[in-house]
Amino acid sequence: MAKKLWGGRFQKDTDKTVEDFTESISFDCRLIAHDIMGSSAHAAMLGKCGIIELDEAQKIIRGLDSILKDYQAGKIEFDTSAEDVHMNVEKLLFERIGEPAKKLHTARSRNDQVATDVKLYLRESIDTIKTLLAQLQETVIEQAEANAKVILPGYTHLQHAQPVLLGHHLMAWFWMLDRDRERFADCRKRLNVLPLGAGALAGTTFPIDRQFVADALEFEAVSENSMDSVADRDWASEYLSACAILMTHLSRFSEEFILWNSSEFGFVDLDDSVTTGSSIMPQKKNPDVAELVRGKSARVIGDLMSILTLQKGLPLAYNRDLQEDKERLFDAADTAQMSVRAFTLMLSTATFNAEKMYKAAGEAFSTATDLADALVRQGVSFRTAHEQVGSLVGYCVEVGKELADLTLDEIKQFSPKAPDDVAAILTVEASVAARKATGGTALSEVKRQIRKARKILAKA
Ligand code: ARG
């Protein structure tokens, strides 16, 4: 059995079961580029500060570079007995450059090293998801613009509530996604503090220059407290919260797509390229992308729960439990990125059925609030108007009419103050156009939102 890098005080080999149980190289190998980036900055700092010889630092950096190149060329094999990516890299480095490799771990510990590596990895993931989100937001704007004037029912309790423009409905998604993008940006700010230099937990006895490492790795600051540096996983909780909230949004959008795509609604047609068939029912074309985005949101919410539960009972500072953070983070990062990509594709290729939406928008007394508002303008109090229109709707249900089918006389029986031009108020077009106050569904407001959204995206 290979000698462990930490094997000095041990008389016996690690049991194979324990080796398999404790290893993390099978999943943390994806941190290799970030580990090498961190180690190179650390080695350069050790050389600059005279803690190791400059030429030793250079040998280390060149050796690390060659490992990364070979890894990218698919030439590196990892060794489970070397436990994790950090020790695999150190072991590979020793095989390549000999003695200087043994000096790389001066003035650091795997505890500050792993926190640094994962932060570097997440910083990149955040940049990627922010770009993907901006692309999705752009797609939302394009569809909102192309379908700005289409009228559909707006729902509360999944019951027809008031008519809205499809452009308005889609722009609601834009603002939800915009908060997601902000949340990631915000998380990046707090995450971007360098833990390296904290050592195992208490700091280091060597005259290191942490600011030098922070600058080399583009961290905004160095952490203030060595114990906090190695124990802290707030950034993981925050990142996973942002992912979970994003996935919850995508899941809600997906649910709408699934409903709208059903024969009962028939509001949207999904492109063949983003749907799948049934192995038994020849007629089927299923919205699997939307269903899987909805399904995968469960994993990411689970990842967040895992990371919070993982930390809740941990005393300071580092505990091996924290090794469990990585698979949850990787899973959430992969899932969120794939989900945004797939959803963007589905949205960009979707076609909306304006006729069906329009027809549905006029059903189920969706302009009842407009009638009540008209009565208020005639001096009736809102509560009384509500009562009168409510009774009128009850009458419609009894005689099987929509509000738009009623005669002025019928309306006046319930609401004597109804204006003579009430028919014009009860159309879905008038209902939408009347909602001109900021944030309403009137076309002018939807256009204003789109202009503002474009400005925001131009700066993204
Ligand atoms: N593989 C470990 C992790 O992912 C690295 C830190 C190990 N530290 C230790 N003291 N055993 O957290």
Side-chain angles (χ1 to χ4, degrees):
M1 187 152 299
K3 178 119 174 85
K4 303 286 185 205
L5 290 178
W6 40 253
R9 64 107 74 202
F10 290 79
Q11 311 265 311
K12 279 192 190 171
D13 287 341
T14 315
D15 190 282
K16 180 79 174 76
T17 305
V18 171
E19 214 166 66
D20 291 345
F21 185 64
T22 54
E23 69 84 25
S24 56
I25 186 63
S26 56
F27 52 86
D28 67 15
C29 55
R30 77 154 91 180
L31 293 173
I32 187 168
H34 307 90
D35 191 70
I36 286 177
M37 206 192 296
S39 288
S40 299
H42 181 68
M45 183 277 291
L46 293 177
K48 186 212 81 137
C49 295
I51 298 167
I52 64 173
E53 298 297 327
L54 265 182
D55 75 306
E56 289 172 325
Q58 276 156 9
K59 278 190 190 126
I60 291 173
I61 292 166
R62 277 201 297 274
L64 289 170
D65 273 353
S66 77
I67 294 171
L68 184 58
K69 283 209 186 76
D70 286 353
Y71 173 74
Q72 283 157 348
K75 289 195 219 150
I76 296 284
E77 273 192 22
F78 293 112
D79 171 7
T80 314
S81 75
E83 208 170 298
D84 58 21
V85 67
H86 324 293
M87 295 209 285
N88 266 274
V89 170
E90 195 179 315
K91 184 167 162 279
L92 288 164
L93 187 66
F94 180 72
E95 285 162 15
R96 287 174 189 223
I97 67 165
E99 281 303 307
K102 291 186 173 176
K103 298 198 171 176
L104 172 60
H105 213 53
T106 313
R108 77 171 183 189
S109 138
R110 271 185 298 160
N111 300 347
D112 53 351
Q113 186 182 358
V114 70
T116 305
D117 292 3
V118 184
K119 280 185 164 194
L120 287 171
Y121 177 88
L122 281 191
R123 216 169 60 181
E124 245 173 59
S125 298
I126 289 173
D127 294 342
T128 305
I129 196 86
K130 279 178 62 202
T131 307
L132 291 172
L133 278 174
Q135 285 163 2
L136 172 54
Q137 287 178 285
E138 178 63 40
T139 305
V140 170
I141 294 181
E142 278 162 21
Q143 285 285 28
E145 222 161 27
N147 298 282
K149 294 183 188 162
V150 172
I151 301 178
L152 78 159
Y155 296 85
T156 59
H157 316 273
L158 200 56
Q159 312 234 355
H160 290 214
Q162 292 168 343
V164 291
L165 293 179
L166 180 54
H168 193 56
H169 190 127
L170 292 176
M171 284 309 289
W173 294 2
F174 175 93
W175 300 110
M176 293 160 84
L177 294 167
D178 209 49
R179 291 193 295 275
D180 287 322
R181 216 163 40 83
E182 276 178 14
R183 255 184 291 277
F184 281 110
D186 202 43
C187 166
R188 193 190 197 285
K189 260 187 247 157
R190 261 187 303 282
L191 172 148
N192 209 15
V193 174
L194 176 75
L196 203 64
L201 79 160
T204 176
T205 56
F206 294 96
I208 57 172
D209 181 348
R210 296 186 66 201
Q211 192 55 50
F212 176 92
V213 179
D215 291 342
L217 298 175
E218 291 177 29
F219 281 99
E220 281 299 318
V222 300
S223 59
E224 296 288 347
N225 180 300
S226 60
M227 294 181 79
D228 179 38
S229 313
V230 293
D232 171 30
R233 291 294 181 278
D234 290 2
W235 37 271
S237 309
E238 284 192 38
Y239 174 77
L240 287 175
S241 300
C243 288
I245 297 171
L246 161 64
M247 288 303 295
T248 308
H249 287 161
L250 294 181
S251 181
R252 294 179 78 170
F253 307 163
S254 293
E255 173 64 13
E256 296 199 311
F257 256 117
I258 294 162
L259 282 173
W260 289 359
N261 187 239
S262 67
S263 326
E264 285 71 16
F265 277 75
F267 286 1
V268 71
D269 274 325
L270 298 179
D271 197 67
D272 278 4
S273 63
V274 299
T275 46
T276 51
S278 157
S279 58
I280 171 168
M281 297 167 282
Q283 83 282 13
K284 295 279 275 184
K285 182 173 143 179
N286 294 326
D288 293 32
V289 166
E291 289 171 307
L292 277 171
V293 169
R294 190 178 58 185
K296 283 173 190 290
S297 66
R299 302 164 65 115
V300 178
I301 293 167
D303 291 332
L304 170 62
M305 291 308 124
S306 295
I307 216 86
L308 292 172
T309 316
L310 179 66
Q311 294 167 72
K312 82 169 197 47
L314 289 189
L316 299 188
Y318 177 84
N319 298 272
R320 190 66 178 269
D321 312 46
L322 292 176
Q323 179 166 291
E324 288 288 311
D325 63 356
K326 279 165 278 300
E327 285 162 294
R328 308 280 59 83
L329 289 165
F330 298 160
D331 180 65
D334 292 348
T335 308
Q337 286 174 22
M338 275 193 306
S339 300
V340 175
R341 279 183 217 276
F343 191 89
T344 305
L345 197 65
M346 180 173 67
L347 177 62
S348 66
T349 53
T351 46
F352 295 95
N353 191 331
E355 257 169 58
K356 280 219 168 154
M357 285 184 164
Y358 182 79
K359 187 168 173 293
E363 291 167 359
F365 323 109
S366 63
T367 56
T369 318
D370 296 86
L371 178 54
D373 287 355
L375 296 174
V376 169
R377 279 190 287 275
Q378 302 297 314
V380 183
S381 73
F382 184 76
R383 209 30 80 208
T384 305
H386 187 288
E387 171 78 27
Q388 291 177 355
V389 178
S391 305
L392 182 64
V393 168
Y395 168 76
C396 287
V397 173
E398 222 174 278
V399 299
K401 284 187 172 183
E402 279 295 333
L403 286 176
D405 306 331
L406 295 171
T407 64
L408 185 60
D409 280 349
E410 280 175 308
I411 295 175
K412 288 210 169 181
Q413 270 172 35
F414 292 86
S415 312
K417 291 225 169 147
D420 292 347
D421 64 347
V422 69
I425 290 162
L426 294 179
T427 67
V428 292
E429 287 85 353
S431 171
V432 164
R435 286 174 166 70
K436 287 195 285 274
T438 309
T441 191
L443 186 60
S444 55
E445 269 307 294
V446 174
K447 285 187 173 163
R448 183 195 55 77
Q449 285 181 62
I450 291 177
R451 278 195 303 277
K452 183 154 188 186
R454 284 212 181 284
K455 268 194 201 145
I456 291 172
L457 275 195
K459 282 194 232 137

